[in-house]
Amino acid sequence: MKRFFMSAMLAAIAIGVFAQQEIGKWTVTPKVGVNLSKLSGQEVIYEGGNSQATYKAKYRFGLTAGAEAEYQAWQQVAVSAGVFYSNEGYTYGKLPEVGEQSETLHFISVPILLNFYIEPNLLPGLALKAGVQLGYLMSAKLHDGNATNTTTSNYKRVNVSIPAGISYTYKAFTADFRYNIGAANLCNVDEIERSWRTGSFWLTFGYQFAL
């Protein structure tokens, strides 16, 4: 019995040592996935006859792709930086006399994150993350019924958001879920006093390469 317990303890120690994050390690992880986004402050007021209705922006799906590099500074703490393309935006759904209306914003984003590995021995690969993300708006397109118009000038080009989320890595395969909280007002229309702020959920999957 003593030998059994000693063997179990040695195995647990060996697993724990193996599971520890390797300090000083660099990795690069290409990622691809989907996002769910909307723009707060966007609304349309429709007047017809004696009635008036306000349509607010709703979430819409988009694509996200890019890569992140991560440096393991301490056993439980790593720092990462990445470059991503994402097409985000919002939809109003079906509007009276117009039909489906939505807007697509094409961003290049650079997230800089602090990754905290909760318990490297018991839960290797599970990390909480938060940081700051800078984004550059490449273009914006309004899809109005069957027509598409460029609306880039309605927006400020530089976006700032606060990403927070969780990720899990198993045998180099990574799943990452985060929410990006818009911190900058993107509205560039003088007549509009409301703030337009992005908000997006990202779900990406990737494969981690050690350098």
Side-chain angles (χ1 to χ4, degrees), residues 178-192:
R178 66 185 72 169
Y179 179 65
N180 300 305
I181 306 168
N185 178 14
L186 295 184
C187 181
N188 197 38
V189 181
D190 294 334
E191 294 77 14
I192 297 178

Side-chain angles (χ1 to χ4, degrees), residues 68-150:
E68 281 186 312
E70 181 178 282
Y71 174 72
Q72 194 71 38
W74 295 277
Q75 183 182 344
Q76 289 183 265
V77 179
V79 180
S80 65
V83 178
F84 286 88
Y85 162 78
S86 63
N87 61 344
E88 303 181 12
Y90 63 91
T91 181
Y92 288 123
K94 195 170 184 178
L95 297 177
E97 301 179 7
V98 175
E100 295 286 337
Q101 188 176 89
S102 64
E103 192 165 19
T104 303
L105 310 179
H106 299 273
F107 282 104
I108 292 293
S109 299
V110 179
I112 301 173
L113 302 174
L114 197 64
N115 303 283
F116 178 73
Y117 287 87
I118 300 172
E119 179 46 66
N121 292 330
L122 299 178
L123 298 169
L126 184 64
L128 299 177
K129 53 187 61 194
V132 63
Q133 178 171 288
L134 299 178
Y136 179 76
L137 177 64
M138 296 187 296
S139 67
K141 302 285 186 180
L142 179 66
H143 311 285
D144 191 351
N146 295 322
T148 298
N149 299 297
T150 299

Side-chain angles (χ1 to χ4, degrees), residues 31 34-36 64 68 80-82 84 110-113 115 129-130 132-133 162-167 174-181 200-204:
K31 297 180 178 182
V34 297
N35 67 66
L36 187 65
T64 298
E68 281 186 312
S80 65
F84 286 88
V110 179
I112 301 173
L113 302 174
N115 303 283
K129 53 187 61 194
V132 63
Q133 178 171 288
I162 307 298
I166 189 169
S167 66
T174 297
D176 186 303
F177 179 75
R178 66 185 72 169
Y179 179 65
N180 300 305
I181 306 168
S200 61
F201 295 93
W202 286 12
L203 176 62
T204 58

Side-chain angles (χ1 to χ4, degrees), residues 142-162:
L142 179 66
H143 311 285
D144 191 351
N146 295 322
T148 298
N149 299 297
T150 299
T151 53
T152 311
S153 61
N154 292 340
Y155 295 90
K156 297 174 184 176
R157 290 295 189 119
V158 178
N159 189 26
V160 179
S161 55
I162 307 298

Side-chain angles (χ1 to χ4, degrees), residues 19-34:
Q20 290 179 358
Q21 304 300 118
E22 185 180 342
I23 298 174
K25 181 180 179 181
W26 281 93
T27 58
V28 173
T29 308
K31 297 180 178 182
V32 65
V34 297

